[in-house]
């Protein structure tokens, strides 16, 4: 490991509903392994409350290693719509102030790509959206990198679906991914769906590796809390998903009610197949 650059990719801590045991574990791992950087791909908070951002700041500061942070859909004001429209990133700025601008990653750069919006002409506003402006900004950063430096593009939403239970529905994601393929980025790093993945996605311009980190919150979906350890040796990117593993599946919490959720059945009620429409007999006259 001596000649490899180690990164920790963590996501969706959701302070306000964080998982303390997972956070203690990750902090311990960071203290022992001293990664060159920790990339956090959004949803630091649950509802963007001031106390949640303050907890996030304290935790990040205590890591004592360089950190990059992307904004997630949960990090925009949720209760204060006036602020959400007029100054959506104000609360997040306190976190950005902690972020390292200069990372010591030989031949590697972490480039941010914003995938959240203060509002969208569709519901819910939690879905991903890559605006032209956000994409242009990220592409310009990639194009300005020194020759030979490879880009890891950090964003909150997966740009296209990655086969996870949770979906990102990222508008403009296909186009963004194709533009990243043109520039031969090393990979995208994302969160949002709360389950880890490491896949290769095809675009008309070539393929892009997509790496997703799970969650460190109590809001687990299909898998227990996890994070990614990424090692770069100048030629190969190795991804290891580190899972806390012993969280029982029955404690799983999801942010949306599944489509097949049924109300509790009364003891004498016949079992209807999932998705069946209850049969109503025509009235007898
Ligand atoms: Fe999340
Ligand atoms: Fe999210």
């Amino acid at each position: 490991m001596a000649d490899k650059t180690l990164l920790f990719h963590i996501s969706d801590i959701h302070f306000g509903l964080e998982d303390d045991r997972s956070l203690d574990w990750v902090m311990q791992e960071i203290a022992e392994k001293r990664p060159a950087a920790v990339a956090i791909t959004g949803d630091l908070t649950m509802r963007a409350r001031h106390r949640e951002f303050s907890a996030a700041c304290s935790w990040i500061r205590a890591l004592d290693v360089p950190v990059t942070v992307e904004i997630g859909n949960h990090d925009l004001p949720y209760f204060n719509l006036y602020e959400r429209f007029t100054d959506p990133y104000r609360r997040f700025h306190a976190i950005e102030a902690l972020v390292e601008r200069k990372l010591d990653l030989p031949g590697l750069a972490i480039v941010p790509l914003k995938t959240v919006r203060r509002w969208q002409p569709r519901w819910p506003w939690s879905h991903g959206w890559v605006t032209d402006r956000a994409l242009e900004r990220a592409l310009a950063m990639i194009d300005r990198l020194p020759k030979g430096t490879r880009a890891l593009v950090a964003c909150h939403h997966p740009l296209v679906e990655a086969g996870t239970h949770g979906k990102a529905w990222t508008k403009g994601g296909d186009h963004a991914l194709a533009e990243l393929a043109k520039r031969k980025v090393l990979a995208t790093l994302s969160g949002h769906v709360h389950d880890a993945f490491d896949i290769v996605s095809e675009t008309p311009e070539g393929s892009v590796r997509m790496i997703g980190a799970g969650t460190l919150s109590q809001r687990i979906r299909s898998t227990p809390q996890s994070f990614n350890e990424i090692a770069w040796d100048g030629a190969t990117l190795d991804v290891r998903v580190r899972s806390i593993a012993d969280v029982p599946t029955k404690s799983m919490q999801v942010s949306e009610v599944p489509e097949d959720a049924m109300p509790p059945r009364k003891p004498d009620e016949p079992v209807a197949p999932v998705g069946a429409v209850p049969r109503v007999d025509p009235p007898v006259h």
Side-chain angles (χ1 to χ4, degrees), residues 11-14 41-46 72-74 156 191-194 215 217 219 221 255:
S11 204
D12 295 76
I13 304 175
H14 286 290
T41 46
D43 278 0
L44 273 169
T45 68
M46 192 54 216
N73 52 293
H74 279 261
H156 179 58
H192 185 66
V193 293
H194 291 205
T215 183
S217 73
R219 293 163 54 93
R221 277 188 187 265
S255 60

Side-chain angles (χ1 to χ4, degrees), residues 168-241:
W169 307 114
T170 305
K171 186 152 172 41
D174 282 322
H175 172 60
L177 203 64
E179 288 299 314
L180 298 181
K182 259 190 220 171
R183 286 157 177 86
K184 304 205 174 350
V185 302
L186 207 47
T188 59
L189 306 180
S190 59
H192 185 66
V193 293
H194 291 205
D195 287 321
F197 57 85
D198 179 12
I199 62 168
V200 173
S201 189
E202 297 302 328
T203 83
E205 304 290 346
S207 59
V208 180
R209 187 165 173 186
M210 293 175 59
I211 297 167
T215 183
L216 295 173
S217 73
Q218 298 172 37
R219 293 163 54 93
I220 56 175
R221 277 188 187 265
S222 306
T223 52
Q225 289 84 355
S226 69
F227 67 96
N228 295 340
E229 250 184 53
I230 301 179
W232 166 245
D233 65 1
T236 310
L237 204 61
D238 280 328
V239 178
R240 284 179 66 213
V241 178

Side-chain angles (χ1 to χ4, degrees), residues 4 23 56-58 96 111-112 116 197 204 217 224 229 244 258 261 279:
K4 285 190 177 179
L23 289 186
C57 274
S58 303
E96 286 182 312
V111 174
V116 302
F197 57 85
S217 73
E229 250 184 53
I244 202 158
R279 189 171 66 88

